Amino acid sequence: MSIRFLHTADVQIGARFVQFGEQAGRLREARVRALTRLLATAAERGVDAVVIAGDLFESNQLADRLVGEVFEIFAAHDEVPVFILPGNHDPCSGPASVWMRAPFREPPGHVVVWREARPLVWRDVAWLPVPIEQHRSTRDPSLPMVAMAADCPADRIKIGVTHGALRIEGKHQPNDHPIALQAARRAGLDYLAVGHWHTAQIYDDGRLVMPGTPEPDQFGRGAGTAAVVEIAAPGARPVCEMVETGALRWQAVRLTVRDGAVEETAARATAGVSTAPAGTVLRIELEGSVSADTREALRRRLAEQTAAFAVVQVVDRTSTALTEGRWRSRLAEHPLLAQAVRDVQRARGFATGEAVAAAAEEANPLTRADWEGVCRAARVDPGGLSGAVFDEMLELIAAEVARLAAAGDAE
Amino acid sequence: MRLNAIELRHVGVFDGGISVGPFAEGLNILSAPNEAGKSTLLWATARGLFDRHTLSGEAATRLQPVGASLAPEITVIFTAGGGRYRIRKRFLHGPLSELSEHDGGSWRVVADGDRADDRVLELVGGSRPGRGATKATHWGLLRYLWGRQGESAEWPVWDDVGGARIRSELARVELDPLVERLRARLEETHAEQLTATGRVARQSGLYEARARVARLEEEMASVRAALDRLEHQERELRSCAEERAVRRRERAAAEDRAEQLTTALSELELLRKDLERWGQARESARERLNEVDRDRRELETLERDAGEADRRAREEARAAEEGRDQLEAARRGLADALARQRELQQRLAGARHEEARLRDGRELLDCRARVESLRARWGEVEGLVQRREECTRRRTAWPGITAEDLEALRAARQRERELETEARAYGLRLRLRPDKTARMQVSRDGHTEEVEAPGGRETALSAGRTVRLALSGWGTLDIHAGAPEAGDVERQLEETRTWIAGRLRELGVLSVDEGALRLEQVKDLDRERRAIDAQLESVVRDWASPAEMHAELLRAEAELAQRMQRCGVTTPRAAPASAALEAELSRIQSALRLDEAAEAEQRNAIAARQARIEQAEKAAAEADRRAVEQATACAALTAKLEALRTRYPDGIDAAQAAARETFVTAEARLEAARGRLPSDWETLAERQQRALAASLQAAQEDHAIEQRMQRLEGALAQAGAEGLYSRETALTEALAPAQTEAERIERTATAARLAGALIDYRQRAAVRTVLRPLEDQLSAAFAELSGNHDRRVFLDERLQVRGVGTAPDRCLAFDQLSQGAREQLLLALRAAAALELARHEPQLLILDDVLVHTDPVRQERVLDFLTRLAEEVQVLVLTCHPDRYRGVGTALPWEGVPARTE
């Protein structure tokens, strides 16, 4: 008597990626493809079953088109039986649940949706699922398994399946379906398959496993994974192999740019990427001061350079200013300009609470009352200003001075 | 710029042309009368310097002479930018523009057409609008250095490039062009998105971005509301499921309870039938026992009632006998009373007859007295009537002379005497002196009299015309007078005597005196008759007339006769004496009242006796009836008693003991059956009904919850299929960049606004630091013009006058100054501006009749001021008061304007 299955969770099909704007659709498509890959992997590995321990879907209220697409994927991969457990994102909460509606109300024959906590004996293994029925709960979803397992014969492998956060002090929310770290031993389970967190976790002497998401969704999280689990006999220690399943790698680079170095910067942007561009989500963070022309040229060049990447996010923190030397020269030549720049910095201190000391050469530093008078004249509420506004003021001043300098108007 | 000369042709009133100049470098005075065209000269000069030669429209046609379509030509010679230039422009027909530079004593064309226009504009520092003619705002420094006639005395705004330049010059602040352009650029950046008041500008990027955000947020709110509804419905569905489970448990429990109660009720029903049977047996025994008890009590009652009835029957018979005896005695008393009443009535009738007789006698006496009284008064009436008839008869017999008649006769007699006197005056006068007394008849004036003439003495006689003396013993002596008037008098006298005599005859009297006597007698008769009438009226005043009085007398006499006959007296005097009659009558009446009282008392006593007899009769009848009734009742009771005794042949006591034993037995059996009843048997049915109702109610509620759940499940299934999360995802991903973009634009606009405001703040602060020298300069100039050296001019950092006074907080605002003071302050400002600008290049100050409110004293100060100013600045004064400027500067000749050829 043994069992071998692929344990996955948190595919989160239909997830949103707000920070990526129009490119978010590509990331969603990648998660649909991840499901296909999981099923294919299961078939390749010759496992007995695929267990999806919650959150196959990001939500119960997804578009029918997307749900239908997933259904078709399952229908097309019937080599391995699939057990699906509703998670906190797609709980079996009633008629509005994706599991109670077409097409999953009547799934393909090899797919079982665990809509209720009822033991199932399959392949002589006692499967003890506890599906999630609501988004939030302070109840440990593994608790019912204690009674369920008690009713099972001792000579049968007992596998619990549920979904929730692991009860680790400081890492979980009390209403996030907290699961005790010794939940498997408490219920006398051979294996407790759970899902929720997107990075792999193994506890309770290897019997409580959270495989992580199969497709990564954040920078710095590594590859997506699933667990191939084999249990030789009742009471035997499960053998858990983490396999990489993610198609995308999320990488971020930070670059300091300067005028006249567009090509170099563009090259550096992709030089550190170790994965194939088509399988990479790349974030490029730009810093430094450049001219508007350089900035525009760099923008165009980066677009060319990263065209083959799956998703590219450019975070431009550069400022379009003169070079440091020329900027200092301008400030020295135009005392009124220098005074205005100092005033902005002092005003920023007033707004953010970060005190800025007056320069030694400053005869008449800006006072808070002066600043409030300026705001009144400009019809702007000084209390509603963030540091970004002052950064923008400096950026505007610098950019306009640079532009005027370039045009030679002021010379 | 400085002006050197101006030439106009076909411009306004100068259709024949005018040439003004050359201008001196210092003070120039151009004086001419009103409407001579001084201001037109300057406006045309401005058109020549600043406008394109291709200018058209109203601004160009207004240059043309009135009523003519000639092409205006303007030539201006000026110095600017270190050179001397001549610009010549023609507008409308064959427009041209030609700029020449004075070079080595001759003019060299340096540009023409638009290039000439642009070059001049560059030299004089102006600008042009997008289309149409230039305005003062495009004239650069000249806008501020040209004091225009009729313009309001207002402080310049200094709001354009020229103004800023003047501001900087006045404040001696070197404006940093880079910073200035930076500020302008920042303001542009701000103005692209926000208005000056901080509102979002329409059609701006921020406006569009915000609109997009608003649209997305609105859509998002709709999706989220649907999601909230969905979650709410899910919670409600869960709540319903829990509630349904509770209801179903309640229903099952209620149904079980109802079933148990139904079984208990069936058992109770059997027990209740036993109870009913034994209860009926006990009730029968109780009824039998009660019946015997009733009969026993009835037997006792009947025996007692029968004895009582017999006793009462005897008493009633005895009472009836006594009543009959009393009735007989009462009847006898009544008969005695009736006899006594009859006696009293007879005596009373006699007394009443006597009283009537006495009353008749008293009335006869009264009637007789009245007849006698009437007769006496009637006799008096008859006497008065006779006297009145006598008076009437005598009055009728006497002549009917009246007071008027008597008066007429007396007047005629008086006339007669007057005529006689007059006749004697005209007549004879005889004096007789007989020796001895002699008697004679003298006939004169119609009558004769006997006259005696004493002897020895003279007797005088007078008469009218004729007198006759009949002397005894001698004969008759007629003496006639001869006066003619005497004849008329005699004739009138005769007529008067004739009238008197005739009237006396008519009246039936012999003389006037008799007439008077008769008249008095008639009056006396009338008085007597009125006295008689008064007496008569007094006597018969109780009647309407004497006839009625007499009729009453006759009636009284007839009544008297009747009463005498009734009383049996033949003469009135035979009636009894009145006093005796009254005494007898009084006595009889007293006796009669006593008898009447006695009779009434007797009558009442009889009525009382009769009433008592009636009562006694009724009592006797009632006693008889009761005696019979008691006898009948006694017989009936005896019969019933016998019948009751017959029903209990063994005796009533034995029957009662048997019935009691039967009852006790039934009671014991009933109690035994009751002991078998459950303690709550009375509420079992109610509890069963309650359990059934609870079951039914739980079933109904279960059904309602089921329906509600079905509705919720339908709604949830429908909402779940709407893909709300996917829609929210799409919206969120679209909203985030839209919000970022809107925030970025707003942040940029706000930053530009604040940066510009900061720079402006620093610029104004810089101006403030150098404001004092400018205030000193203006204050000195204004003090020189106004003659008041105690005041200062205070400016703000935008070079607007804060006020004029001894201190910043004790000063008058510009618009509070008088017109003259404002003119002078503006002159001082323009002078200061021109002086400052002249430090870099020559400047022209034009004053076109701007000192109209300045008094003569200050006018002199103005001349001093302008004279000194002209050492640095070219000054052109246009005035219609040449006398005010005599002796200063250069007086420009004003060529006469040729009459326009029609």
Side-chain angles (χ1 to χ4, degrees), chain A residues 16-18 24 28 58-59 61-63 93 95-96 101 334 339 343 364 370 378 392-393 396 400 403 409-410, chain B residues 176 178 181-182 185 196 234 237 713 716 720-721 723-726 728-729 732-733 736 748 751 753 761-762:
Chain A
R16 65 180 58 152
F17 297 91
V18 176
R28 275 193 287 280
E58 171 72 4
S59 167
Q61 277 71 54
L62 294 181
S93 54
R101 294 188 281 117
H334 302 283
Q339 181 65 60
D343 288 345
N364 188 20
D370 295 338
E392 185 72 24
M393 287 166 71
L396 271 174
E400 288 300 334
R403 193 180 66 77
D409 285 353
Chain B
D176 187 333
L178 176 75
R181 291 187 185 189
L182 171 61
R185 179 67 193 126
E234 282 185 333
L237 184 62
E713 284 169 355
L716 282 167
L724 293 172
Y725 184 84
S726 296
E728 188 189 26
T729 297
T732 305
E733 289 170 354
T748 301
R753 173 78 164 167
Y761 165 73
R762 282 300 176 188

Side-chain angles (χ1 to χ4, degrees), chain B residues 77-78 83-86 100-108 110:
Chain B
I77 300 172
F78 61 97
R84 191 176 181 201
Y85 298 91
R86 183 184 69 194
S100 304
E101 185 175 6
H102 196 257
D103 186 14
S106 63
W107 290 102
R108 179 174 58 85
V110 294

Side-chain angles (χ1 to χ4, degrees), chain B residues 271-409:
Chain B
L271 202 54
R272 287 180 67 178
K273 282 180 181 171
D274 286 348
L275 274 172
E276 193 177 346
R277 193 168 62 248
W278 290 119
Q280 285 173 350
R282 186 191 65 173
E283 288 306 310
S284 298
R286 188 200 302 274
E287 283 177 9
R288 176 60 185 162
L289 183 60
N290 289 343
E291 187 182 357
V292 173
D293 281 347
R294 268 198 313 274
D295 287 349
R296 185 186 183 88
R297 286 194 297 275
E298 190 178 358
L299 188 62
E300 289 170 358
T301 305
L302 283 172
E303 285 172 350
R304 192 168 56 246
D305 290 351
E308 180 69 13
D310 183 56
R311 184 186 59 78
R312 281 208 296 268
R314 282 195 296 275
E315 285 178 358
E316 291 296 338
R318 198 164 46 247
E321 189 62 29
E322 288 174 358
R324 280 192 290 275
D325 292 346
Q326 288 174 357
L327 179 62
E328 191 58 33
R331 281 174 178 163
R332 280 197 300 274
L334 178 63
D336 292 344
L338 286 173
R340 171 71 181 149
Q341 188 188 26
R342 277 193 296 275
E343 285 177 12
L344 281 172
Q345 283 175 342
Q346 285 172 359
R347 199 170 71 194
L348 193 60
R352 281 177 179 156
H353 179 74
E354 182 61 16
E355 185 202 29
R357 189 183 63 79
L358 289 173
R359 282 181 184 276
D360 286 345
R362 190 174 66 181
E363 286 173 2
L364 175 63
L365 289 177
D366 291 344
C367 187
R368 188 183 67 189
R370 188 154 170 262
V371 167
E372 286 174 353
S373 171
L374 281 171
R375 281 177 181 163
R377 291 179 75 173
W378 182 244
E380 190 178 352
V381 168
E382 282 179 331
L384 289 170
V385 169
Q386 284 176 357
R387 281 175 60 195
R388 191 175 185 282
E389 286 174 353
E390 178 62 20
C391 284
T392 303
R393 188 187 57 74
R394 284 166 59 192
R395 177 72 175 84
T396 307
W398 287 344
I401 190 167
T402 63
E404 290 79 16
D405 294 337
L406 185 61
E407 187 65 25
L409 284 172

